[in-house]
């Protein structure tokens, strides 16, 4: 794998994670503690573990996909994958701002749905680039789909 591609995808993912974390509370704020949450919500400690693993997966799998596309001479597809990754990471970072910073529960549920669709598209594109990359990236849209259900339920409980 081209190390410069891996460095670029890692930096992009780290920038999205960092931007999202600026909006996220360092500790549970009173606002978040007062929210009604469904019983199936994972414990707070699960989120940083899951997201760290997913961010590593996104960076590595995206690097593989872009590298494979470039190696096959499909530079336009590689650029489109990189553009789709950029949009996905913007949606990813924006969710934390909608939910934690601005307390927009409905908008964050819609943002989670958009992120789910974008993540599924990214996994599809990865699978087209490398048959193993799609399944490797599949936990990301699955987690985002769960997050969409959770965010929607939190919104409905707190209207």
């Amino acid at each position: 794998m081209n190390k410069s591609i891996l460095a670029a995808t890692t930096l992009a993912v780290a920038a999205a994670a960092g931007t999202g974390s600026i909006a996220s509370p360092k500790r549970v704020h009173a606002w978040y503690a007062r929210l009604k949450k469904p019983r199936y919500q994972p414990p707070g400690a699960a989120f940083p573990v899951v997201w760290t693993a997913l961010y590593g997966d996104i960076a590595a799998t995206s690097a593989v996909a872009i590298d494979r596309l470039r190696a096959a001479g499909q530079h336009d597809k590689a650029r489109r994958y990189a553009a789709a990754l950029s949009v996905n990471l913007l949606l990813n970072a924006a969710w934390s701002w909608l939910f934690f910073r601005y307390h927009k529960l409905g908008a964050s549920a819609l943002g989670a749905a958009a992120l789910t669709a974008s993540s599924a598209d990214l996994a599809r594109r990865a699978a087209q680039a490398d048959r193993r990359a799609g399944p490797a990236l599949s936990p990301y849209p699955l987690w985002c789909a769960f997050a969409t259900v959770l965010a929607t339920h939190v919104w409905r409980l707190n209207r």
Side-chain angles (χ1 to χ4, degrees), residues 32-87:
Y32 183 75
R34 284 193 310 266
L35 287 177
K36 295 175 190 164
K37 299 168 200 77
R39 293 178 191 204
Y40 60 85
Q41 177 168 321
F47 291 97
V49 172
V50 169
W51 277 111
T52 299
L54 289 174
Y55 284 139
D57 183 27
I58 296 163
T61 303
S62 293
V64 166
I66 293 168
D67 187 50
R68 295 291 189 275
L69 290 169
R70 286 185 180 172
Q74 298 176 327
H75 298 287
D76 284 345
K77 280 190 175 183
R79 280 190 288 278
R80 286 193 296 271
Y81 185 99
L85 176 62
S86 297
V87 168

Side-chain angles (χ1 to χ4, degrees), residues 46-152:
F47 291 97
V49 172
V50 169
W51 277 111
T52 299
L54 289 174
Y55 284 139
D57 183 27
I58 296 163
T61 303
S62 293
V64 166
I66 293 168
D67 187 50
R68 295 291 189 275
L69 290 169
R70 286 185 180 172
Q74 298 176 327
H75 298 287
D76 284 345
K77 280 190 175 183
R79 280 190 288 278
R80 286 193 296 271
Y81 185 99
L85 176 62
S86 297
V87 168
N88 179 271
L89 294 175
L90 286 170
L91 289 168
N92 189 305
W95 185 89
S96 294
W97 286 85
L98 288 171
F99 187 85
F100 288 113
R101 181 62 57 108
Y102 299 119
H103 305 166
K104 301 291 184 186
L105 300 180
S108 71
L110 290 173
L115 179 59
T116 300
S118 174
S119 300
D121 176 61
L122 208 59
R124 178 191 62 80
R125 290 172 188 267
Q128 289 177 343
D130 181 285
R131 64 180 178 82
R132 295 170 296 185
L137 195 55
S138 65
Y140 183 38
L142 291 173
W143 178 260
C144 290
F146 171 72
T148 300
V149 170
L150 182 60
T152 302

